[in-house]
Amino acid sequence: STAMSETVTVESADDRNPRTVVHSPDPDVLWRISSGRFVERSSDAGSTWRVQWTNANAHVIAGAAPSVETCWLVGRNGIILLTTDGKKWRTIAPPADADFVGVAATDASSATVTTTDDRKFTTTDGGKRWIAAP
């Protein structure tokens, strides 16, 4: 028997890749990226998950959560997402027309994103302005 849940995830064969889990400083608070198109959050160390953001065309690859309320996510086609309240996500204008494969962040204002060809861009104002990192 299956328990009723708020979110049902149907996986097809090509979605069986491992989910990317982004850890916050609090071991109870996690985000995970499912098949690049869904972002879910857990506040009970992964026992339950809630979908927070979904986009059928997205391919989110990596994330960084410097606090329990702040998480940066990046992926293909210039996608950069940010939550500063642990609930609502906003899309950040990318510094380049590129696929992003990595992000490091110290807080909601400061982050560095990395492209597939290893270029790095840094923001200190939450993604309003980006500068190419040396």
Side-chain angles (χ1 to χ4, degrees):
S1 74
T2 35
M4 289 298 288
S5 72
E6 210 175 302
T7 308
V8 178
T9 305
V10 179
E11 289 188 311
S12 64
D14 63 342
D15 283 345
R16 286 200 198 107
N17 56 336
R19 294 180 173 96
T20 300
V21 175
V22 180
H23 296 264
S24 80
D26 179 336
D28 282 343
V29 178
L30 307 167
W31 278 274
R32 76 178 176 192
I33 304 159
S34 295
S35 53
R37 298 188 292 273
F38 301 91
V39 176
E40 300 164 301
R41 185 178 191 261
S42 176
S43 52
D44 55 13
S47 297
T48 59
W49 295 90
R50 259 170 210 260
V51 172
Q52 293 189 318
W53 183 90
T54 180
N55 179 334
N57 300 316
H59 195 127
V60 178
I61 293 172
S67 78
V68 296
E69 295 194 324
T70 301
C71 185
W72 292 80
L73 298 172
V74 298
R76 301 227 170 98
N77 300 319
I79 193 165
I80 302 174
L81 301 171
L82 172 63
T83 181
T84 54
D85 64 2
K87 298 180 188 75
K88 292 189 187 68
W89 291 86
R90 68 179 189 267
T91 303
I92 304 294
D97 184 13
D99 291 342
F100 296 103
V101 293
V103 59
T106 48
D107 55 39
S109 300
S110 303
T112 300
V113 296
T114 306
T115 64
T116 46
D117 56 1
D118 216 31
R119 288 179 293 152
K120 290 185 184 341
F121 298 90
T122 301
T123 183
T124 54
D125 58 10
K128 291 182 189 75
R129 288 187 308 275
W130 295 90
I131 55 164

